[in-house]
mmCIF file of all heavy atoms in Angstrom:
data_model
loop_
_atom_site.group_PDB
_atom_site.id
_atom_site.type_symbol
_atom_site.label_atom_id
_atom_site.label_comp_id
_atom_site.label_asym_id
_atom_site.label_seq_id
_atom_site.Cartn_x
_atom_site.Cartn_y
_atom_site.Cartn_z
ATOM 1 N N GLU I 50 50.302 26.102 -16.556
ATOM 2 C CA GLU I 50 50.424 27.548 -16.434
ATOM 3 C C GLU I 50 49.991 28.246 -17.727
ATOM 4 O O GLU I 50 49.262 29.248 -17.699
ATOM 5 C CB GLU I 50 51.899 27.882 -16.091
ATOM 6 C CG GLU I 50 52.249 29.359 -16.056
ATOM 7 C CD GLU I 50 51.598 30.102 -14.905
ATOM 8 O OE1 GLU I 50 50.935 29.449 -14.058
ATOM 9 O OE2 GLU I 50 51.733 31.335 -14.851
ATOM 10 N N GLU I 67 44.328 44.780 -27.672
ATOM 11 C CA GLU I 67 45.696 44.949 -28.150
ATOM 12 C C GLU I 67 45.975 44.026 -29.352
ATOM 13 O O GLU I 67 46.582 44.431 -30.336
ATOM 14 C CB GLU I 67 46.690 44.676 -27.011
ATOM 15 C CG GLU I 67 48.091 45.127 -27.369
ATOM 16 C CD GLU I 67 49.056 45.124 -26.193
ATOM 17 O OE1 GLU I 67 48.660 44.768 -25.064
ATOM 18 O OE2 GLU I 67 50.229 45.467 -26.436
ATOM 19 N N GLU I 69 43.755 42.795 -31.414
ATOM 20 C CA GLU I 69 42.969 43.274 -32.554
ATOM 21 C C GLU I 69 43.666 44.428 -33.262
ATOM 22 O O GLU I 69 43.722 44.489 -34.491
ATOM 23 C CB GLU I 69 41.615 43.760 -32.043
ATOM 24 C CG GLU I 69 40.421 43.167 -32.766
ATOM 25 C CD GLU I 69 39.154 43.438 -31.978
ATOM 26 O OE1 GLU I 69 38.663 44.586 -32.036
ATOM 27 O OE2 GLU I 69 38.675 42.515 -31.270
ATOM 28 N N ASN I 112 49.281 35.544 -37.925
ATOM 29 C CA ASN I 112 48.104 35.684 -37.039
ATOM 30 C C ASN I 112 48.369 35.005 -35.702
ATOM 31 O O ASN I 112 47.979 35.484 -34.640
ATOM 32 C CB ASN I 112 46.876 35.002 -37.658
ATOM 33 C CG ASN I 112 46.494 35.579 -39.000
ATOM 34 O OD1 ASN I 112 46.711 36.767 -39.243
ATOM 35 N ND2 ASN I 112 45.935 34.750 -39.875
ATOM 36 N N SER I 159 68.937 21.022 -40.639
ATOM 37 C CA SER I 159 70.046 21.514 -41.451
ATOM 38 C C SER I 159 69.773 21.310 -42.940
ATOM 39 O O SER I 159 70.246 22.064 -43.786
ATOM 40 C CB SER I 159 71.355 20.832 -41.049
ATOM 41 O OG SER I 159 71.260 19.449 -41.210
ATOM 42 N N ARG I 163 69.753 24.467 -45.652
ATOM 43 C CA ARG I 163 70.421 24.454 -46.937
ATOM 44 C C ARG I 163 69.438 24.824 -48.068
ATOM 45 O O ARG I 163 69.745 25.645 -48.923
ATOM 46 C CB ARG I 163 70.981 23.044 -47.178
ATOM 47 C CG ARG I 163 71.940 22.905 -48.347
ATOM 48 C CD ARG I 163 72.391 21.453 -48.503
ATOM 49 N NE ARG I 163 71.280 20.527 -48.705
ATOM 50 C CZ ARG I 163 70.603 20.401 -49.843
ATOM 51 N NH1 ARG I 163 70.911 21.146 -50.869
ATOM 52 N NH2 ARG I 163 69.617 19.528 -49.943
ATOM 53 N N LYS I 173 67.570 36.119 -39.671
ATOM 54 C CA LYS I 173 68.731 36.810 -39.089
ATOM 55 C C LYS I 173 68.549 38.321 -39.186
ATOM 56 O O LYS I 173 68.872 39.059 -38.254
ATOM 57 C CB LYS I 173 70.015 36.356 -39.765
ATOM 58 C CG LYS I 173 70.384 34.930 -39.374
ATOM 59 C CD LYS I 173 71.672 34.466 -40.029
ATOM 60 C CE LYS I 173 71.995 33.033 -39.567
ATOM 61 N NZ LYS I 173 73.020 32.401 -40.410
ATOM 62 N N VAL I 182 69.598 22.015 -37.086
ATOM 63 C CA VAL I 182 69.436 20.765 -36.337
ATOM 64 C C VAL I 182 69.948 19.611 -37.187
ATOM 65 O O VAL I 182 69.510 19.413 -38.323
ATOM 66 C CB VAL I 182 67.949 20.548 -35.978
ATOM 67 C CG1 VAL I 182 67.743 19.202 -35.312
ATOM 68 C CG2 VAL I 182 67.463 21.679 -35.076
ATOM 69 N N ASP I 191 62.428 17.034 -36.800
ATOM 70 C CA ASP I 191 63.619 17.045 -35.952
ATOM 71 C C ASP I 191 63.830 18.425 -35.323
ATOM 72 O O ASP I 191 64.265 18.534 -34.187
ATOM 73 C CB ASP I 191 64.821 16.617 -36.778
ATOM 74 C CG ASP I 191 64.529 15.320 -37.524
ATOM 75 O OD1 ASP I 191 64.527 14.267 -36.869
ATOM 76 O OD2 ASP I 191 64.228 15.389 -38.723
ATOM 77 N N VAL I 201 62.275 22.074 -22.574
ATOM 78 C CA VAL I 201 62.436 21.289 -21.349
ATOM 79 C C VAL I 201 63.597 21.860 -20.516
ATOM 80 O O VAL I 201 63.531 21.900 -19.288
ATOM 81 C CB VAL I 201 62.720 19.797 -21.680
ATOM 82 C CG1 VAL I 201 63.094 19.036 -20.425
ATOM 83 C CG2 VAL I 201 61.510 19.150 -22.318
ATOM 84 N N TYR I 220 48.092 23.982 -26.966
ATOM 85 C CA TYR I 220 48.487 24.572 -28.247
ATOM 86 C C TYR I 220 47.483 24.373 -29.384
ATOM 87 O O TYR I 220 47.164 25.342 -30.086
ATOM 88 C CB TYR I 220 49.876 24.064 -28.664
ATOM 89 C CG TYR I 220 51.006 24.759 -27.928
ATOM 90 C CD1 TYR I 220 51.629 24.181 -26.848
ATOM 91 C CD2 TYR I 220 51.415 26.034 -28.320
ATOM 92 C CE1 TYR I 220 52.645 24.823 -26.166
ATOM 93 C CE2 TYR I 220 52.441 26.690 -27.648
ATOM 94 C CZ TYR I 220 53.054 26.076 -26.577
ATOM 95 O OH TYR I 220 54.054 26.726 -25.918
ATOM 96 N N SER I 229 41.484 31.607 -36.048
ATOM 97 C CA SER I 229 40.065 31.686 -36.376
ATOM 98 C C SER I 229 39.652 33.048 -36.903
ATOM 99 O O SER I 229 38.551 33.201 -37.461
ATOM 100 C CB SER I 229 39.205 31.365 -35.152
ATOM 101 O OG SER I 229 39.295 30.001 -34.866
ATOM 102 N N VAL I 230 40.516 34.033 -36.728
ATOM 103 C CA VAL I 230 40.230 35.343 -37.286
ATOM 104 C C VAL I 230 40.007 35.235 -38.795
ATOM 105 O O VAL I 230 39.205 35.991 -39.377
ATOM 106 C CB VAL I 230 41.376 36.341 -36.941
ATOM 107 C CG1 VAL I 230 42.683 35.949 -37.633
ATOM 108 C CG2 VAL I 230 40.999 37.765 -37.309
ATOM 109 N N ILE I 239 31.922 36.921 -47.026
ATOM 110 C CA ILE I 239 31.291 36.215 -48.146
ATOM 111 C C ILE I 239 29.788 36.442 -48.143
ATOM 112 O O ILE I 239 29.160 36.520 -49.204
ATOM 113 C CB ILE I 239 31.642 34.697 -48.171
ATOM 114 C CG1 ILE I 239 31.283 34.131 -49.550
ATOM 115 C CG2 ILE I 239 30.933 33.938 -47.061
ATOM 116 C CD1 ILE I 239 32.085 32.963 -49.992
ATOM 117 N N VAL I 251 37.732 25.240 -48.915
ATOM 118 C CA VAL I 251 38.859 24.380 -49.275
ATOM 119 C C VAL I 251 40.157 25.020 -48.786
ATOM 120 O O VAL I 251 40.419 26.194 -49.060
ATOM 121 C CB VAL I 251 38.920 24.176 -50.815
ATOM 122 C CG1 VAL I 251 39.991 23.161 -51.166
ATOM 123 C CG2 VAL I 251 37.563 23.741 -51.341
ATOM 124 N N VAL I 295 46.111 8.190 -44.748
ATOM 125 C CA VAL I 295 46.571 6.911 -44.216
ATOM 126 C C VAL I 295 45.837 6.591 -42.911
ATOM 127 O O VAL I 295 45.515 5.444 -42.627
ATOM 128 C CB VAL I 295 48.105 6.944 -44.003
ATOM 129 C CG1 VAL I 295 48.601 5.628 -43.473
ATOM 130 C CG2 VAL I 295 48.809 7.288 -45.312
ATOM 131 N N SER I 304 50.924 15.117 -28.879
ATOM 132 C CA SER I 304 49.514 14.765 -28.959
ATOM 133 C C SER I 304 49.274 13.504 -29.784
ATOM 134 O O SER I 304 50.102 13.098 -30.593
ATOM 135 C CB SER I 304 48.675 15.931 -29.495
ATOM 136 O OG SER I 304 49.130 16.325 -30.754
ATOM 137 N N LEU I 309 52.475 9.496 -40.001
ATOM 138 C CA LEU I 309 53.173 8.599 -40.925
ATOM 139 C C LEU I 309 54.183 7.816 -40.096
ATOM 140 O O LEU I 309 55.071 8.399 -39.482
ATOM 141 C CB LEU I 309 53.895 9.397 -42.014
ATOM 142 C CG LEU I 309 53.020 10.332 -42.855
ATOM 143 C CD1 LEU I 309 53.878 11.004 -43.938
ATOM 144 C CD2 LEU I 309 51.849 9.595 -43.480
ATOM 145 N N PRO I 329 55.107 14.848 -40.967
ATOM 146 C CA PRO I 329 54.520 13.506 -40.902
ATOM 147 C C PRO I 329 53.288 13.390 -39.997
ATOM 148 O O PRO I 329 52.773 12.290 -39.815
ATOM 149 C CB PRO I 329 55.677 12.660 -40.349
ATOM 150 C CG PRO I 329 56.513 13.599 -39.566
ATOM 151 C CD PRO I 329 56.388 14.948 -40.244
ATOM 152 N N HIS I 339 37.942 14.419 -39.073
ATOM 153 C CA HIS I 339 37.931 13.284 -40.003
ATOM 154 C C HIS I 339 37.134 12.132 -39.410
ATOM 155 O O HIS I 339 36.274 11.521 -40.046
ATOM 156 C CB HIS I 339 39.360 12.846 -40.308
ATOM 157 C CG HIS I 339 39.459 11.564 -41.063
ATOM 158 N ND1 HIS I 339 39.133 11.459 -42.391
ATOM 159 C CD2 HIS I 339 39.808 10.310 -40.679
ATOM 160 C CE1 HIS I 339 39.288 10.207 -42.794
ATOM 161 N NE2 HIS I 339 39.700 9.492 -41.764
ATOM 162 N N VAL I 347 41.288 15.239 -48.519
ATOM 163 C CA VAL I 347 41.651 14.758 -49.845
ATOM 164 C C VAL I 347 43.138 15.034 -50.030
ATOM 165 O O VAL I 347 43.771 15.643 -49.157
ATOM 166 C CB VAL I 347 40.827 15.495 -50.919
ATOM 167 C CG1 VAL I 347 39.345 15.168 -50.762
ATOM 168 C CG2 VAL I 347 41.050 16.999 -50.836
ATOM 169 N N PRO I 369 50.280 31.974 -55.935
ATOM 170 C CA PRO I 369 49.999 31.404 -54.618
ATOM 171 C C PRO I 369 51.207 30.677 -54.042
ATOM 172 O O PRO I 369 52.060 30.213 -54.787
ATOM 173 C CB PRO I 369 48.893 30.387 -54.929
ATOM 174 C CG PRO I 369 49.221 29.899 -56.308
ATOM 175 C CD PRO I 369 49.834 31.086 -57.032
ATOM 176 N N HIS I 375 47.843 23.717 -53.468
ATOM 177 C CA HIS I 375 47.189 22.416 -53.302
ATOM 178 C C HIS I 375 45.673 22.573 -53.198
ATOM 179 O O HIS I 375 44.919 21.766 -53.742
ATOM 180 C CB HIS I 375 47.724 21.684 -52.060
ATOM 181 C CG HIS I 375 49.080 21.067 -52.258
ATOM 182 N ND1 HIS I 375 50.226 21.811 -52.383
ATOM 183 C CD2 HIS I 375 49.459 19.762 -52.353
ATOM 184 C CE1 HIS I 375 51.260 20.990 -52.552
ATOM 185 N NE2 HIS I 375 50.822 19.745 -52.539
#
Side-chain angles (χ1 to χ4, degrees):
Chain I
E50 174 68 5
E67 193 169 0
E69 232 166 77
N112 300 329
S159 60
R163 192 182 58 75
K173 288 180 179 166
V182 175
D191 309 285
V201 171
Y220 281 100
S229 288
V230 66
I239 195 152
V251 186
V295 181
S304 58
L309 303 183
H339 170 73
V347 296
H375 283 70

